[in-house]
Amino acid sequence: MKVDSFFKAAPYKSVSEDAILINERVKVYGVFDGATPLTPFKDENNMNGAYLASNIFKDYFSRLYQENLSLVEGIQAANRMLRDRMEKSMVNQEKYEQLWSTCAAIIKFENDGKISYAQLGDCMIIAEYQNGVIKALTRDTVKGISYRAKAWREEQRKQGVTVPDEDFYQDITQQRIFNRSLANKPHGYTVANGREEAVHFIQQGQVNISEIKALLMITDGLFHPDYLLEETFKMIQKSGVSSYSIELEQFERRNNLRSDDKSGIMIRLVN
């Protein structure tokens, strides 16, 4: 098995809000993407809620996760750690926009010849099968959230619920606050944010190790604006995670595109 990884903060950030997990002790690998906060909270080390959320998850799966637990049980435990840290920091957890939150994509090599996977948000897991088929094992639940949020507001108004006019949501901050209120709801998106309901929205599954040639876990900073994820997989497989990431950042700079934190792990299963 060959593990290739990359981790880099966006050009405008001093610290990445992503975190990367390589735990060979229990054969667990993953990427986490903290959601940029909508509130100004900083801890004693001057770290914001996005950094703290992603790194609490990394810390749990690096130090505390036990092999006998499922990935879902691990996410549930890490999510409780996140809740407890917010409680100690006096975060108002009734207000969704104040919650520290992170997306996640994690895999685990089991002892029975299976690979388990679990995911929240827009971190993605893509697999290449032995027959050459490349397929995303997970769905990006953040994609289209603003469209779904608008449709939900329209439905609420039809039912007589008082919701501000759409002009109010032209303000990007108000739009984001509303979007955060849809976390882990059927019409919203999935994320680990310390709330118990997150566990009910985890995408999970298993594949046979014998059927898999390679696996890729990436945060959304490695999504290419011009290519599908399957094509992105091929480019990463060809040039490596580091080279692809650097080339993508140069492409974003040339085209005046926003560049995000970039984290990825490519695992090639060598027979």
Side-chain angles (χ1 to χ4, degrees), residues 34-46:
T36 300
L38 302 180
T39 55
F41 173 88
K42 295 285 182 69
D43 75 353
E44 63 277 8
N45 297 312
N46 206 35

Side-chain angles (χ1 to χ4, degrees), residues 7-270:
F7 173 79
K8 185 177 184 293
Y12 59 92
K13 292 183 184 178
S14 58
V15 176
S16 175
E17 293 171 350
D18 286 358
I20 194 165
L21 166 73
I22 298 175
N23 186 341
E24 295 177 337
R25 174 179 59 85
V26 289
K27 300 174 185 173
V28 172
Y29 305 83
V31 294
F32 307 100
D33 184 356
T36 300
L38 302 180
T39 55
F41 173 88
K42 295 285 182 69
D43 75 353
E44 63 277 8
N45 297 312
N46 206 35
M47 297 301 174
N48 66 20
Y51 174 92
L52 293 168
S54 62
N55 279 277
I56 285 168
F57 265 72
K58 175 187 177 178
D59 183 51
Y60 172 81
F61 279 98
S62 297
R63 296 190 306 108
L64 302 173
Y65 179 74
Q66 297 298 314
E67 192 174 9
N68 63 314
L69 296 176
S70 69
L71 287 179
V72 170
E73 289 171 324
I75 289 174
Q76 192 169 24
N79 198 46
R80 286 181 183 139
M81 274 183 62
L82 176 58
R83 178 197 64 199
D84 293 344
R85 285 284 297 277
M86 285 191 286
E87 190 173 316
K88 288 176 183 175
S89 298
M90 307 295 288
V91 173
N92 184 347
Q93 297 187 52
E94 296 304 311
K95 291 185 177 293
Y96 279 80
E97 68 270 20
Q98 293 193 23
L99 295 173
W100 308 346
S101 57
T102 185
C103 300
I106 317 170
I107 67 166
K108 176 186 178 185
F109 288 86
E110 307 284 3
N111 295 322
D112 61 357
K114 305 272 191 184
I115 302 171
S116 297
Y117 62 88
Q119 184 264 10
L120 287 163
D122 58 7
C123 292
M124 292 293 287
I125 306 171
I126 306 108
E128 181 185 18
Y129 289 79
Q130 291 290 353
N131 62 7
V133 171
I134 297 170
K135 176 184 173 185
L137 299 180
T138 53
R139 183 174 61 87
D140 177 356
T141 65
V142 177
K143 186 177 181 179
I145 181 59
S146 293
Y147 172 82
R148 294 195 302 278
K150 183 178 179 182
W152 177 249
R153 290 193 295 268
E154 289 173 355
E155 183 61 32
Q156 291 290 92
R157 293 186 191 104
K158 288 177 184 177
Q159 294 180 19
V161 178
T162 302
V163 179
D165 292 337
E166 283 307 305
D167 287 348
F168 178 75
Y169 297 102
Q170 293 301 310
D171 182 288
I172 191 66
T173 299
Q174 295 304 325
Q175 190 180 125
R176 287 171 176 165
I177 289 172
F178 187 88
N179 289 357
R180 295 284 169 96
S181 76
L182 301 181
N184 301 315
K185 294 177 181 175
H187 44 274
Y189 68 103
T190 63
V191 73
N193 60 4
R195 297 181 67 99
E196 286 293 331
E197 61 264 27
V199 72
H200 303 301
F201 291 88
I202 298 168
Q203 295 181 60
Q204 59 172 310
Q206 287 189 324
V207 291
N208 294 317
I209 293 176
S210 60
E211 296 177 359
I212 301 298
K213 187 182 291 185
L215 282 165
L216 175 67
M217 288 154 283
I218 56 175
T219 60
D220 67 337
L222 289 186
F223 294 0
H224 197 292
D226 294 342
Y227 299 107
L228 298 173
L229 283 174
E230 292 79 6
E231 295 170 298
T232 297
F233 182 101
K234 291 177 183 177
M235 290 188 289
I236 291 174
Q237 190 176 50
K238 181 178 179 181
S239 62
V241 187
S242 299
S243 294
Y244 167 81
S245 301
I246 292 166
E247 289 169 10
L248 176 58
E249 188 174 297
Q250 291 170 346
F251 172 86
E252 291 165 337
R253 189 179 298 117
R254 286 195 305 271
N255 291 277
N256 295 314
L257 299 174
R258 180 180 177 274
S259 187
D260 201 358
D261 301 326
K262 291 175 168 50
S263 301
I265 304 174
M266 170 73 85
I267 299 177
R268 294 178 175 86
L269 304 180
V270 181

